[in-house]
């Protein structure tokens, strides 16, 4: 009696695992009942369908991670609501929260669609954006309406796992994808070599010199060796094509999958019936070359984004805390994520600062180049601000922690850069639309080529059609813009110019006019001693007397004179302050006056002092010109690179304007010094706004640079705006770019790089268009074999990526 074979168990509708015998966990889907394997899958499926997201099961192209792995994690989700846990990765603004998460289980575009739609349906979730390439999700929510643990649990309920972003976990995901790509490439390479060993003898054999059974054996061996190449190595192409077709769009994997599938199917059929032609060698060769091209592209894109990703890794994992400072110096090693504002940490030479704060003890030089682009070390002493992630170069520092986690400067930079990378500029959107329509046109052309060749030479019709499908895949067109933008944004970040909007580079490249604010933009924004004119005595004597007279004053003139004089050497008595005029006091029995020209009773030598400066005189109590000891010229000092910036922008053909609320005479003096023709002083914010609008009405593209709260409206009006370092938060929020470095000359570097980026993008688009214009007719005329088509498509994409990588190379000034 013959045993009846056991029936194969039905797969679970949700996870795909076999359903155990006796399990009965049905769910209702599209007016039919579907089986699931366990209560977990049943609950997950019911959650997805009940929330109105049933289309997920129609759109997905792979099975999700099983829910069992997430069940244990679900128990600990409430921990993520604790403030001490959230401080390392959550940005808070009142009740508003924003966090970066990593999603595990994302296998295709349908997963992204499902998660974004599901998150947007949750009450209290204000925004949810998921990057498929990095698996990173940026989520913004109202803490008064929903908690983070509820969001994480909701994600788990639909079969995914979410946890706080960690650069090491992201690296693990990239390594896993890279290792998978290497395995697929290795199998394709081995398969290609073996299949070619069988194909070459058949090609070289003359008619009737190879027995039919030997040729059939070689074909069968080729079939066996090609099968894993098609169903494992080439599987991502079929996955992508199936996903695109389900979404009713023609993606770039569609023609490739059609070419591979058609050639393999025809070869299998030809092998079984003994047809004259099979294409196993062509199939394995162009799969190998396609995978090689994509693998090289993946690594090139990873390198081009390293500048942005490296920012995330600047914060050290551990810190040395001083719990008893300043009374004791006992050290405690803790995780940097556990630091809270008010803690004191010890940072030794060669170590990175674990958080934002201020120096409490010690003096050292700090390297801020990786974060702000500062080319020289910055001296720090007690009270100096510290940015987390910067590097201590020479001496131990005790730092009081002020900001941690998502509130740090570094976290803010990463958020802005993420936003810039997520927003597509006009050229990228146009390229995407063209690529989508191009695929549809390509399919029409392929059908037309197949029909024509069927009547011309039926024996060549098939492989010529396959060549047309493969050779003209618009991968190069789709890569032309994003690879150049990624490389360019990464390089800009390295030099301290952060683009916060996707359109910033494109608009900056076309800017015709640059408008500058004066105070805090072209100048330092701090009152300082610009020059002195000594009437009698020495410079040191005059500064010592001035410092003694201003020892208790708090106004900017007093602070500037004390800073210039240094350590106090004299004491003043009987000080009498005359508001708006000056101060009078006695030093070693001599009466001295310090103040305006009227107050000291003398006329300053304006021809020997900087124009537009505030002039302060120092004279003894006798009065008249003979009593003057010295004249001090004080003002807002020019930034060191301001003159070079103006010269560089002029060389680039940009029109320059200086608009300021400062006194007109000061503005004109600065404009003459820098060589700016259009300078206007005494302007209100509305005046600046109207001036920019007037230029825009003439068809000009305006770039505005400013730093103050009063600059925010005109920054928002300009086509592209740049907020300078240490500027007001309102200015930085309204700006498209933020200059993190005090080296204002980087703006000229930014303009040059923006123009070079546009040139590279246009080169890439021109190359991809030229390639397709030449390759499609050549393939349609029968001059390109399928394997050669695979090489051509891969090389065109690789050339585009390598051309874009030129933008990532540092320029001369970056190495200064």
């Amino acid at each position: 009696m013959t045993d009846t074979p056991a029936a194969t168990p039905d797969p679970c509708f949700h996870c795909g695992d076999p359903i155990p015998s006796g399990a009965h966990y049905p769910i209702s889907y599209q007016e039919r009942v579907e089986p699931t394997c366990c209560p977990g899958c049943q609950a997950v499926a019911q959650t997805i369908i009940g929330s109105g997201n049933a289309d997920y099961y129609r759109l997905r192209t792979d099975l999700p991670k099983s829910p069992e792995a997430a069940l244990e994690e679900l128990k600990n989700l409430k921990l993520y609501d604790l403030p001490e846990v959230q401080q390392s990765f959550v940005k808070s603004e009142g009740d508003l929260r924003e966090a970066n998460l990593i999603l595990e289980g994302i296998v295709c575009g349908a997963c992204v669609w499902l998660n974004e739609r599901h998150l947007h349906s949750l009450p209290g979730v204000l925004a949810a954006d998921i990057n498929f390439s990095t698996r990173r999700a940026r989520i913004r929510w109202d803490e008064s309406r929903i908690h983070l643990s509820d969001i994480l649990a909701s994600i788990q309920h639909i079969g995914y796992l979410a946890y706080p972003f960690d650069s090491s976990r992201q690296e693990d995901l990239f390594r896993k994808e890279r290792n998978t790509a290497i395995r697929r490439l290795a199998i394709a390479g081995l398969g290609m070599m073996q299949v070619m060993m069988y194909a070459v003898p058949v090609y070289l054999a003359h008619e009737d010199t190879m027995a039919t059974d030997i040729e059939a054996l070689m074909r069968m061996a080729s079939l066996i060796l090609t099968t894993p190449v098609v169903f494992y190595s080439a599987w991502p192409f079929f996955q992508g094509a199936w996903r695109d077709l389900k979404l009713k769009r023609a993606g770039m994997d569609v023609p490739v999958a059609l070419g591979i599938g058609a050639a393999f199917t025809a070869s299998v059929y030809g092998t079984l019936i003994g047809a004259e032609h099979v294409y196993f060698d062509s199939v394995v060769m162009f799969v190998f070359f396609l995978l090689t091209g994509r693998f090289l592209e993946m690594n090139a894109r990873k390198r081009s984004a390293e500048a942005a990703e490296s920012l995330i890794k600047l914060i050290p994992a551990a810190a040395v805390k001083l719990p008893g400072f300043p009374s004791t110096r006992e050290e405690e090693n803790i995780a940097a994520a556990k630091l809270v504002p008010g803690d004191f940490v010890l940072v030794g030479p060669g170590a990175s600062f674990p958080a934002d704060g201020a120096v409490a003890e010690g003096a050292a030089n700090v390297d801020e180049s990786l974060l702000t682009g500062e080319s020289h070390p910055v001296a720090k002493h007690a009270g100096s601000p510290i940015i987390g992630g910067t590097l201590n170069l020479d001496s131990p520092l005790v730092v009081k922690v002020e900001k941690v986690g998502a509130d740090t400067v570094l976290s803010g930079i990463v958020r802005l850069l993420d936003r810039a990378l997520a927003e597509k500029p006009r050229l990228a959107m146009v390229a995407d639309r063209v690529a989508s329509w191009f695929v549809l046109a390509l399919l029409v052309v392929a059908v037309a080529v197949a029909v024509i060749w069927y009547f011309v030479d039926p024996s060549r019709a098939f492989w010529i059609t396959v060549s047309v499908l493969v050779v003209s895949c618009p991968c190069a067109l789709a890569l032309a813009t994003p690879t150049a933008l990624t490389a360019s944004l990464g390089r800009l970040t390295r030099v301290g110019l952060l683009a916060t909007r996707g359109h910033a580079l494109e608009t900056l490249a076309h800017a015709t006019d640059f408008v500058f604010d004066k105070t805090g933009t072209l100048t330092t924004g701090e009152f300082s001693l610009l020059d002195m004119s000594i009437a009698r005595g020495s410079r040191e004597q005059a500064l010592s007397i001035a410092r003694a007279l201003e020892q208790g004053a708090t106004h900017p003139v007093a602070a500037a004179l004390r800073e210039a004089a240094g350590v106090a050497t004299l004491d003043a008595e009987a000080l009498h302050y005359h508001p708006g005029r000056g101060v009078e006091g006695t030093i070693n029995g001599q009466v001295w006056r310090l103040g305006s020209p009227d107050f000291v009773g003398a006329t300053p030598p304006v021809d020997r002092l900087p124009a537009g400066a505030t002039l302060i005189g120092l004279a003894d109590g006798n009065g008249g010109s003979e009593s003057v000891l010295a004249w001090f010229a004080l003002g807002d000092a020019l930034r060191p690179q301001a003159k070079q910036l103006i010269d560089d922008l002029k060389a680039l053909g940009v029109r320059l304007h200086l608009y300021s609320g400062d006194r007109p005479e000061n503005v004109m003096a600065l404009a003459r010094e820098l060589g700016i023709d259009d300078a206007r002083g005494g302007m209100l914010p509305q005046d600046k706004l109207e001036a920019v609008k007037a230029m825009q009405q003439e068809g000009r593209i305006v770039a505005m640079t400013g730093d103050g709260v009063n600059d925010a409206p005109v920054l928002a009006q300009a086509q592209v705006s740049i907020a300078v370092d240490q500027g007001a938060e309102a200015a930085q929020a309204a700006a498209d770019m933020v200059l993190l470095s005090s080296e204002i000359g980087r703006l000229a570097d930014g303009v040059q790089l923006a123009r070079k980026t546009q040139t590279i993008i246009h080169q890439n688009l021109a190359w991809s268009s030229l390639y397709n214009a030449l390759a499609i007719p050549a393939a349609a005329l029968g001059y390109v074999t399928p394997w050669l088509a695979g090489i051509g498509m891969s090389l065109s994409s690789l050339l585009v990526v390598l051309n874009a990588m030129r933008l990532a190379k540092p320029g001369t000034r970056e190495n200064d």
Side-chain angles (χ1 to χ4, degrees):
M1 183 176 178
T2 304
D3 292 336
T4 303
T8 303
D10 291 331
C12 173
F13 176 71
H14 178 71
C15 73
D17 289 346
I19 297 177
S21 176
H24 183 64
Y25 303 103
I27 57 103
S28 178
Y29 172 70
Q30 293 187 347
E31 299 182 356
R32 66 176 187 270
V33 175
E34 296 286 356
T36 59
C37 63
C38 63
C41 284
Q42 183 186 43
V44 169
Q46 286 175 340
T47 300
I48 292 175
I49 297 169
S51 63
N53 294 311
D55 279 350
Y56 163 70
Y57 291 107
R58 179 177 61 84
L59 297 172
R60 66 179 181 179
T61 58
D62 206 341
L63 296 172
K65 186 174 181 177
S66 64
E68 283 77 8
L71 292 179
E72 193 63 33
E73 188 77 15
L74 190 61
K75 302 174 184 176
N76 302 318
L77 292 183
K78 289 295 181 184
L79 294 175
Y80 287 119
D81 292 334
L82 299 177
E84 57 269 29
V85 175
Q86 289 192 1
Q87 68 180 12
S88 63
F89 68 97
V90 175
K91 171 70 174 175
S92 302
E93 298 175 8
D95 284 334
L96 299 182
R97 302 285 190 273
E98 183 177 311
N100 275 338
L101 307 176
I102 290 182
L103 291 185
E104 279 195 12
I106 297 288
V107 294
C108 64
C111 298
V112 173
W113 172 85
L114 172 66
N115 277 276
E116 287 185 342
R117 181 171 176 181
H118 181 68
L119 287 169
H120 283 129
S121 70
L122 298 177
V125 173
L126 307 177
D129 300 298
I130 301 172
N131 187 312
F132 175 66
S133 299
T134 61
R135 276 54 169 177
R136 285 170 65 177
R138 191 175 70 223
I139 300 175
R140 189 173 176 86
W141 71 96
D142 184 345
E143 182 69 15
S144 65
R145 300 174 62 195
I146 191 170
H147 299 302
L148 180 58
S149 60
D150 300 325
I151 296 173
L152 298 178
S154 177
I155 293 172
Q156 289 189 359
H157 285 156
I158 59 170
Y160 298 85
L161 180 62
Y163 48 81
F165 170 74
D166 183 332
S167 59
S168 61
R169 287 192 178 184
Q170 190 177 39
E171 283 294 318
D172 290 340
L173 288 175
F174 174 75
R175 278 195 295 270
K176 186 187 298 183
E177 291 178 358
R178 187 174 183 272
N179 291 338
T180 301
I182 290 174
R183 284 195 298 270
R184 295 187 192 277
L185 184 59
I187 289 176
L190 289 172
M192 180 185 70
M193 289 187 290
Q194 295 299 318
V195 170
M196 291 306 296
M197 287 176 60
Y198 293 115
V200 170
V202 176
Y203 289 142
L204 296 179
H206 298 290
E207 190 174 354
D208 298 329
T209 60
M210 179 177 287
T212 304
D213 56 343
I214 297 298
E215 183 177 353
L217 181 62
M218 288 186 171
R219 287 187 174 186
M220 187 58 67
S222 296
L223 167 60
I224 294 171
L225 292 167
T226 303
T227 299
V229 174
V230 171
F231 290 100
Y232 178 70
S233 296
W235 191 245
F237 300 117
F238 294 109
Q239 276 187 314
W242 184 241
R243 178 189 66 235
D244 291 334
L245 292 174
K246 277 193 169 183
L247 293 171
K248 297 180 180 178
R249 67 184 187 190
M252 296 170 202
D253 286 327
V254 172
V256 175
L258 282 174
I260 295 171
F264 180 71
T265 302
S267 299
V268 171
Y269 180 74
T271 300
L272 296 177
I273 67 170
E276 182 180 355
H277 298 291
V278 292
Y279 311 98
F280 293 122
D281 54 334
S282 294
V283 170
V284 293
M285 285 182 73
F286 71 72
V287 168
F288 175 75
F289 288 126
L290 288 172
L291 290 176
T292 300
R294 290 201 175 185
F295 179 74
L296 293 174
E297 288 167 23
M298 178 179 68
N299 284 286
R301 288 197 302 271
K302 181 72 168 65
R303 286 195 301 272
S304 69
E306 277 178 354
E309 292 299 325
S310 64
L311 290 175
I312 302 169
K313 304 173 186 175
L314 290 178
I315 295 291
V320 179
K321 181 180 175 182
L322 303 177
F325 185 85
S327 56
T328 67
R329 309 283 298 195
E330 181 183 352
E331 298 181 4
E332 177 186 350
N333 291 314
I334 67 167
K338 293 184 178 180
L339 292 173
V340 297
D343 284 345
F344 289 90
V345 293
L346 177 65
V347 182
S352 297
F353 295 95
D356 290 357
V359 177
E361 180 182 283
N365 290 311
V366 173
D367 182 0
E368 299 182 346
S369 59
L370 285 176
L371 192 59
T372 67
E374 291 283 358
S375 57
H376 302 291
V378 180
K380 301 289 184 180
H381 48 79
S384 296
I386 292 293
I387 300 175
T390 54
L391 182 67
N392 184 5
L393 293 178
D394 42 36
S395 300
L397 289 178
V398 176
V399 176
K400 182 179 181 181
V401 174
E402 295 177 347
K403 293 182 179 179
V404 296
D407 294 325
T408 61
V409 170
L410 180 61
S411 294
I413 292 172
V414 171
R415 281 195 300 273
L416 291 173
L417 190 56
D418 281 344
R419 184 177 71 181
L421 289 170
E423 293 179 356
K424 288 188 175 183
R426 181 184 55 83
L427 267 178
M429 292 187 288
V430 169
D432 285 349
R433 285 197 295 269
V434 170
S436 177
W437 285 106
F438 183 88
V439 172
L440 290 173
L442 167 64
L443 296 176
V444 174
V445 169
V447 171
V449 168
V451 172
I452 293 171
W453 274 99
Y454 179 79
F455 291 103
V456 174
D457 187 349
S459 64
R460 302 179 64 195
F462 182 77
W463 70 261
I464 289 176
T465 304
V466 170
S467 297
V468 170
L469 285 170
V470 175
V471 78
S472 54
C473 178
C475 294
L477 182 63
L479 289 169
T481 301
T483 50
L485 288 174
T486 302
S488 184
L489 289 173
R491 180 170 154 199
L492 274 178
T493 304
R494 282 200 301 272
V495 302
L497 188 58
L498 176 67
T500 67
R501 299 289 182 185
H503 73 86
L505 268 181
E506 184 179 358
T507 311
L508 185 64
H510 297 106
T512 60
D513 293 74
F514 249 88
V515 177
F516 289 97
D517 177 45
K518 172 183 171 287
T519 306
T521 302
L522 292 175
T523 63
T524 61
E526 299 176 357
F527 222 53
S528 63
L529 180 64
L530 303 179
D531 200 358
M532 289 178 60
S533 176
I534 306 298
R536 55 192 174 92
S538 67
R539 174 187 173 91
E540 291 73 18
Q541 179 191 11
L543 285 172
S544 295
I545 295 172
R547 192 194 194 292
L549 292 171
E550 295 284 20
Q551 60 187 348
T554 58
H555 55 78
V557 169
L561 288 173
R562 287 197 300 268
E563 179 72 21
V567 179
T569 56
L570 299 174
D571 287 321
E573 301 172 341
L575 292 171
H576 297 285
Y577 292 97
H578 301 265
R581 300 185 66 204
V583 61
E584 183 179 22
T586 302
I587 301 175
N588 295 331
Q590 172 69 52
V591 176
W592 293 96
R593 283 189 159 203
L594 178 71
S596 65
D598 290 341
F599 184 66
V600 299
T603 302
V606 293
D607 57 327
R608 299 201 301 269
L609 293 170
T614 298
L615 302 182
I616 301 295
L618 174 63
D620 59 35
N622 298 323
S625 300
E626 301 297 328
S627 66
V628 174
L629 184 67
W631 289 97
F632 303 98
L634 298 104
D636 193 6
L638 194 65
R639 286 184 184 255
Q641 294 183 337
K643 177 62 176 171
Q644 185 62 49
L645 168 65
I646 298 304
D647 292 342
D648 290 344
L649 290 177
K650 282 184 175 180
L652 292 170
V654 177
R655 286 186 287 263
L656 302 173
H657 313 268
L658 178 58
Y659 296 162
S660 175
D662 199 0
R663 291 183 301 171
E665 58 269 26
N666 291 349
V667 176
M668 294 304 298
L670 180 65
R672 283 193 298 270
E673 182 180 355
L674 293 176
I676 298 176
D677 295 329
D678 181 19
R680 310 179 197 179
M683 298 185 75
L684 298 174
Q686 185 62 31
D687 299 329
K688 295 182 183 180
L689 196 63
E690 294 301 327
V692 168
K693 285 182 178 179
M695 282 189 282
Q696 290 173 333
Q697 288 171 359
E698 295 175 7
R700 302 185 195 178
I701 298 175
V702 179
M704 173 68 196
T705 306
D707 77 315
V709 173
N710 63 328
D711 292 322
V714 70
L715 286 170
Q717 176 64 34
Q719 282 98 330
V720 61
S721 51
I722 303 118
V724 299
D725 68 309
Q726 309 303 321
E729 287 187 11
Q732 296 196 5
D736 303 312
M737 307 180 84
V738 178
L739 180 67
L740 303 173
S741 168
S742 62
E743 299 177 5
I744 197 170
R746 299 298 188 188
L747 290 179
D749 294 339
V751 175
Q752 290 176 318
L753 184 59
R755 292 184 178 183
K756 186 176 180 181
T757 302
Q758 294 303 302
T759 301
I760 294 289
I761 290 174
H762 288 128
Q763 287 175 351
N764 285 348
L765 292 173
W767 159 250
S768 57
S769 301
L770 178 64
Y771 164 77
N772 282 306
L774 296 176
I776 294 176
L781 293 172
Y783 296 122
V784 181
T785 59
W787 66 268
L788 191 59
I791 295 178
M793 195 202 86
S794 299
L795 288 180
S796 67
S797 299
L798 188 59
L799 180 64
V800 163
V801 174
L802 293 178
N803 191 38
M805 288 297 293
R806 294 194 295 131
L807 292 166
K809 295 173 63 178
T812 304
R813 231 157 83 174
E814 292 172 41
N815 296 322
D816 289 349

